[in-house]
Amino acid sequence: MMQRKLSRRQFIAGAATIAAAGTLPGRVAAATPSDLRAMPGSAQLAPTDYPQTPIWGYQGQVPGPTLRVAQGERLTRRFVNDLPQPSTVHWHGIRIANAMDGVPDVTQPAVPPGGEFLYDFIAPDAGTYWYHPHNRTWEQMARGLYGALIVEEPAPPAVDRDEVLLIDDWRLADDGRIRDDFGSMRDWSHAGRLGNWITVNGNGDFRLAAKHRDRLRLRLVNTANARIFSLGLKGLEGWIVALDGQPLDTPAAAGRITLAPAQRADLVVDVIDTREAFLISYENDGGFALATFDIAGSARAARLPAPAPLPANPLPPLGDLNAARRTTLRMEGGAMGGMRTAMLGGRRRGMRELVASGKAWSFNGMADMPDEPLVACERGETMRIAMVNDTAWPHAMHLHGHHFRLIGGDGRLGPLRDTVLVDRGETAEIAFVADNPGDWLLHCHMLEHAAAGMMTWLQVGA
Ligand code: C2O
Ligand code: CU
């Protein structure tokens, strides 16, 4: 029997009652369907013997509504900001028109409290994407602002059910409130804001009813500020069919799955146990059930054959990698790193001064968003960026507006991704076709790291 392991957490989950599967906590906002309203709300994140948690959510819910659109179709949402802070919506992983990318001061001004902005774009690729703010992201996402964006394949694979699982890590106080120690330099210079309470779709004891031999599609999204999950299956046989929205050429048997902040994995799983099955999150000292499948009845008499690959999305093929333009991005700083100085506001500053300005990291020696792009690409050009992690921490590097492939040590190309985990001391070289005109961020998706210096941008010519 797998049990939630809570020794290091401040809650006892034993008394948790189970919310009906599919019922999301939070309140339904007075919003029309085409509005996406960021607003305060409340949710029963902790067990029911704790009070509800005041959150910020889209439509006041955690998670926000799952948006679905057919591949190649247009998504239109009027974003309304009912928060006390400016905000924007970023559509993570969508190869979007630059003006719709939701980056304050880069693609649009931040939407002030009471303001609105019309997002209107085409979703070119089928797959699992998500949306979140891009202003004070380290606070706004930690308060619950995020939701899934599903772009449907024209002919989706045959499964009994398609489930979206948004995995989050909250820092809650004993009274159920979100601790408001945002901006703690300790978090910013170490692993980022790690929490003490993990939920799936806002539920600390997430359960799904299933049948023996059911085939399920599980769309996993890591919406945590900074926590890296190491996931596994029990009582389920699974295949990874897509990463960060993009189909794998060949589905891969799902063993241990690392899901860094912002990453997604689409799994096809067959229920092979007859009583209980689990999605497990492993930590140093063991594992606990992130999701529990309560099994009753049988879906079919025999097992299904292994799933076929999903159809590929219309991405441009990489050009000649030997002829590709190369750039290096060196990450430095953080606790236990060797960084002594970095440029900030056009001046070289020592660590003490950087920290006093809320900076702890640098990209190529710069601790703030540079005025000049890391590289100006010609449209259609194949690019290589070697990201050198010269820090004592892993970083989840995300490129906006494009998907890339990792160039392996042996020259072999990895799967298409939009976010890659670069371990300490490691260099990850990515290759992509810069085919989407505009100014695109490249940043660490550990949100405290991004705010504290790990942010740059690329320019793609028109
Ligand atoms: Cu998911 Cu720049 O973001
Ligand atoms: Cu980082």
Coordinates of all heavy atoms in Angstrom, one line a residue, residues 38 59 97 110 113 138 180 209 220 222 251 261 320 346 362 384 416 432 440:
A38 N -8.6 36.9 -14.0 CA -7.8 36.6 -12.9 C -8.3 37.3 -11.6 O -8.5 38.5 -11.6 CB -6.4 37.1 -13.1
Q59 N -10.8 32.7 -13.2 CA -12.2 32.5 -12.8 C -12.3 32.2 -11.3 O -13.2 31.6 -10.8 CB -12.9 31.4 -13.6 CG -12.6 31.2 -15.1 CD -12.9 32.4 -15.9 OE1 -12.4 33.5 -15.7 NE2 -13.7 32.2 -17.0
A97 N 1.9 33.9 -32.2 CA 2.4 35.2 -32.8 C 2.9 36.0 -31.6 O 2.4 36.0 -30.5 CB 1.2 35.9 -33.4
A110 N 2.1 45.4 -19.2 CA 1.3 44.6 -18.2 C -0.1 45.2 -18.1 O -0.3 46.4 -18.2 CB 2.0 44.5 -16.9
P113 N -4.5 46.5 -12.7 CA -5.7 46.1 -12.0 C -6.9 46.8 -12.6 O -6.9 48.0 -12.9 CB -5.5 46.6 -10.6 CG -4.0 46.6 -10.4 CD -3.5 47.0 -11.8
W138 N 6.6 34.6 -9.9 CA 7.0 33.9 -8.7 C 6.0 34.1 -7.6 O 5.9 33.3 -6.7 CB 8.4 34.4 -8.2 CG 8.6 35.9 -8.4 CD1 9.0 36.5 -9.6 CD2 8.4 36.9 -7.5 NE1 9.0 37.8 -9.4 CE2 8.7 38.1 -8.2 CE3 7.9 36.9 -6.2 CZ2 8.6 39.4 -7.5 CZ3 7.9 38.2 -5.5 CH2 8.2 39.4 -6.2
D180 N 3.2 34.2 2.7 CA 3.5 35.3 1.8 C 4.9 35.8 1.9 O 5.2 37.0 1.6 CB 2.5 36.5 2.1 CG 2.7 37.0 3.5 OD1 3.6 36.5 4.2 OD2 2.0 38.0 3.8
A209 N -11.6 7.2 -10.4 CA -12.2 5.9 -10.6 C -11.8 5.3 -11.9 O -11.7 6.0 -12.9 CB -13.7 5.9 -10.5
L220 N 0.3 15.2 -17.9 CA 0.9 15.7 -16.6 C 1.5 17.1 -16.9 O 2.2 17.2 -17.9 CB 2.0 14.8 -16.2 CG 1.6 13.3 -16.1 CD1 2.8 12.4 -15.5 CD2 0.4 13.1 -15.2
N222 N 3.7 20.1 -14.8 CA 4.3 20.6 -13.5 C 4.2 22.1 -13.5 O 4.8 22.9 -14.2 CB 5.8 20.2 -13.5 CG 6.5 20.7 -12.2 OD1 5.9 21.4 -11.4 ND2 7.7 20.3 -12.0
P251 N 6.6 5.9 -29.0 CA 6.2 6.0 -27.6 C 7.3 5.2 -26.8 O 7.8 4.2 -27.2 CB 4.9 5.3 -27.5 CG 4.3 5.5 -28.9 CD 5.5 5.5 -29.8
P261 N 10.0 22.1 -13.6 CA 8.9 23.1 -13.6 C 8.6 23.4 -15.1 O 9.5 23.6 -15.9 CB 9.6 24.3 -12.9 CG 10.5 23.6 -11.9 CD 11.0 22.4 -12.6
D320 N 21.2 22.1 -41.5 CA 22.5 21.4 -41.3 C 23.1 22.0 -40.0 O 23.4 23.1 -39.9 CB 23.4 21.8 -42.5 CG 24.8 21.2 -42.3 OD1 25.0 20.5 -41.3 OD2 25.6 21.5 -43.2
G346 N 23.9 48.3 -16.2 CA 25.1 48.8 -16.9 C 26.3 49.0 -16.1 O 27.3 49.6 -16.6
S362 N 23.5 35.2 -13.0 CA 23.7 35.9 -14.2 C 23.7 35.0 -15.4 O 24.0 33.8 -15.3 CB 25.0 36.7 -14.1 OG 26.1 35.8 -14.1
R384 N 22.1 27.0 -32.8 CA 22.5 26.1 -31.7 C 22.9 27.0 -30.5 O 23.6 28.0 -30.7 CB 23.8 25.4 -32.1 CG 23.6 24.4 -33.2 CD 24.9 23.8 -33.7 NE 25.5 23.0 -32.7 CZ 26.3 21.9 -33.1 NH1 26.4 21.5 -34.3 NH2 26.8 21.1 -32.1
L416 N 11.6 16.8 -29.3 CA 11.3 18.2 -29.3 C 10.8 18.6 -27.9 O 10.0 17.9 -27.3 CB 10.2 18.5 -30.3 CG 10.6 18.5 -31.7 CD1 9.3 18.4 -32.6 CD2 11.3 19.8 -32.1
F432 N 17.4 24.6 -32.9 CA 16.0 24.9 -33.3 C 16.1 25.7 -34.5 O 17.1 26.4 -34.8 CB 15.2 25.5 -32.2 CG 15.8 26.9 -31.8 CD1 15.2 28.1 -32.3 CD2 16.9 27.0 -30.9 CE1 15.7 29.3 -31.9 CE2 17.4 28.2 -30.5 CZ 16.8 29.4 -31.0
W440 N 11.8 36.9 -28.1 CA 11.4 35.7 -27.4 C 12.3 35.5 -26.2 O 13.5 35.5 -26.3 CB 11.5 34.5 -28.3 CG 10.7 34.6 -29.5 CD1 11.1 34.8 -30.8 CD2 9.2 34.5 -29.6 NE1 10.0 34.8 -31.6 CE2 8.9 34.6 -30.9 CE3 8.2 34.2 -28.6 CZ2 7.5 34.6 -31.4 CZ3 6.9 34.1 -29.1 CH2 6.6 34.3 -30.4

